[in-house]
């Protein structure tokens, strides 16, 4: 039986997965091969192809069994998979500027290749877990990591947008002044906006805004003794889980911010589900349940028909990108009559 592959090109590693026509994943966890993005397109794409053959062999398959391939990478890139001409963190080699990575991989593999940015691929995976690969449901996924990524899936399809910036949820402005207990806070984002979702709900926001703000209220806190705010920010989640009052406050503000954002999405899309993922909630159940409660607490009251909108946790953080990419490839292969 034909299968499709998902290829997640990260900063240091390529992660592979495979999906069959019954929508069953054939690899459970990570299946990694070193990425060589720094050495430019030629070497990187050859490396991806070599790793794909090795990954297929691990599940007893060959390249001939693979009907289509889904690729995802960090952005910025166009919706068709042309990397930004201005370069980006993960693609520093000069030859990547304006490079069509989707077409490049398609040519090397001689198979259809689809492209998604990593946020949108993660969102498609979160959607698939709830609704499968069919075309019916609408969901919004927010993935809290260094930044705030995610995506919008409408009736099963990823909203890529005109220029590839569909689902850039982190830079949507929210009425953050409605969040209690942050009077005088100025949440500034790297993008130049003040008060967008990423400026309140991301690891970057903790280091740049939330931690400095709350340390003024908790001057004796142990994190105040660290010089490195970035390092201190990484410790906030574990302390919050251990019920440290200041760190709980920081996560309460992040959850309330997400609640305000989700309220905007409910009124824009009337979605079937809201999904939260990312490192911030790779925690125990007690903390997750509390975090979801705080998201709801941050939402303005909903009309009766929408008050039961489900908020889900996205499973499988590390494999989300590859899995989302594979789901996109499956949809493509079905459309082409290959599966
Ligand atoms: Zn922003």
């Amino acid at each position: 039986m034909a299968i499709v592959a998902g290829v997640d090109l990260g900063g240091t590693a390529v992660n592979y997965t495979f999906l069959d026509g019954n929508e069953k994943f054939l690899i459970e966890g990570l299946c990694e091969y070193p990425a060589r993005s720094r050495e430019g397109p030629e070497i990187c794409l050859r490396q991806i192809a070599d790793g794909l053959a090795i990954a297929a062999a691990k599940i007893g398959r060959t390249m001939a069994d693979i009907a289509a391939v889904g690729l995802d990478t960090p952005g910025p890139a166009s919706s068709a998979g042309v990397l930004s001409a201005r370069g980006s963190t993960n693609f520093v080699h000069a030859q990547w500027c304006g490079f069509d990575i989707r077409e490049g991989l398609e040519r090397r593999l001689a198979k259809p290749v689809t492209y998604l940015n990593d946020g949108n691929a993660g969102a498609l995976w979160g959607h698939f877990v709830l609704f499968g690969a069919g075309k019916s449901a609408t969901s919004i996924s927010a993935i809290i990591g260094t930044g705030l990524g995610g995506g919008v899936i409408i009736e099963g399809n990823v909203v890529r947008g005109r220029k590839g910036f569909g689902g850039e949820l982190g830079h949507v402005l929210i009425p953050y002044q409605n969040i209690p207990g942050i009077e005088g806070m100025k949440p500034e984002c790297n993008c130049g906006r003040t008060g967008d979702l990423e400026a309140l709900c991301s690891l970057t926001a903790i280091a740049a805004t939330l931690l400095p703000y709350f340390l003024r209220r908790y001057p004796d806190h142990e994190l105040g003794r660290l010089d490195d705010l970035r390092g201190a920010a990484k410790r906030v989640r574990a302390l919050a889980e251990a019920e440290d009052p200041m760190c709980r406050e920081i996560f309460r503000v992040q959850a309330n911010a997400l609640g305000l954002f989700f309220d905007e999405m409910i009124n824009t899309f009337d979605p079937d589900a809201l999904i939260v993922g990312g490192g911030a909630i790779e925690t125990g159940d007690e903390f997750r349940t509390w975090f979801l409660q705080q998201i709801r607490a941050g939402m303005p009251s909903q009309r009766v028909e929408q008050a039961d909108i489900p908020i889900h946790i996205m499973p499988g953080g590390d494999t989300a990108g590859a899995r989302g990419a594979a789901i996109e490839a499956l949809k493509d292969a079905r459309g082409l009559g290959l599966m």
Side-chain angles (χ1 to χ4, degrees), residues 156-313:
N157 291 314
V158 175
V159 176
R160 294 177 157 84
R162 181 171 68 102
K163 297 285 185 182
F165 295 104
E168 283 290 308
L169 310 182
H171 307 295
V172 175
L173 288 169
I174 55 170
Y176 69 94
Q177 296 89 343
N178 292 10
I179 300 171
I182 58 164
E183 294 72 21
M185 184 185 284
K186 226 172 170 253
E188 288 171 347
C189 184
N190 292 329
C191 73
R193 290 176 183 78
T194 301
D196 63 17
L197 183 59
E198 183 167 299
L200 285 138
C201 191
S202 65
L203 182 63
T204 301
I206 295 177
T209 303
L210 297 171
L211 190 53
Y213 180 88
F214 280 104
L215 279 174
R216 285 197 289 276
R217 295 192 180 177
Y218 294 82
D220 300 327
H221 195 279
E222 59 177 282
L223 292 183
R225 292 195 283 276
L226 299 176
D227 292 331
D228 166 28
L229 269 176
R230 194 96 203 165
K234 287 184 180 166
R235 294 180 51 195
V236 171
R237 185 191 65 186
L239 285 168
E241 241 195 308
E243 302 200 32
D244 173 88
M246 182 189 80
C247 295
R248 279 266 163 156
E249 269 294 89
I250 289 174
F251 269 80
R252 192 264 307 165
V253 171
Q254 295 194 93
N256 288 175
L258 205 45
L260 288 170
F261 169 76
F262 278 157
D263 178 67
E264 295 177 333
M265 297 297 102
I266 290 169
N267 282 295
T268 309
F269 297 107
D270 189 15
D272 295 278
L274 303 166
I275 305 170
V276 189
I281 48 151
E282 282 167 10
T283 62
D285 285 343
E286 186 277 332
F287 186 82
R288 285 180 169 184
T289 305
W290 172 83
F291 193 75
L292 292 181
Q293 282 165 356
Q294 293 304 317
I295 293 173
R296 282 196 195 274
M299 292 164 66
S301 59
Q302 302 297 308
R303 55 179 73 81
V304 174
E305 297 90 326
Q306 291 167 302
D308 63 346
I309 175 91
I311 307 178
H312 292 278
I313 300 275

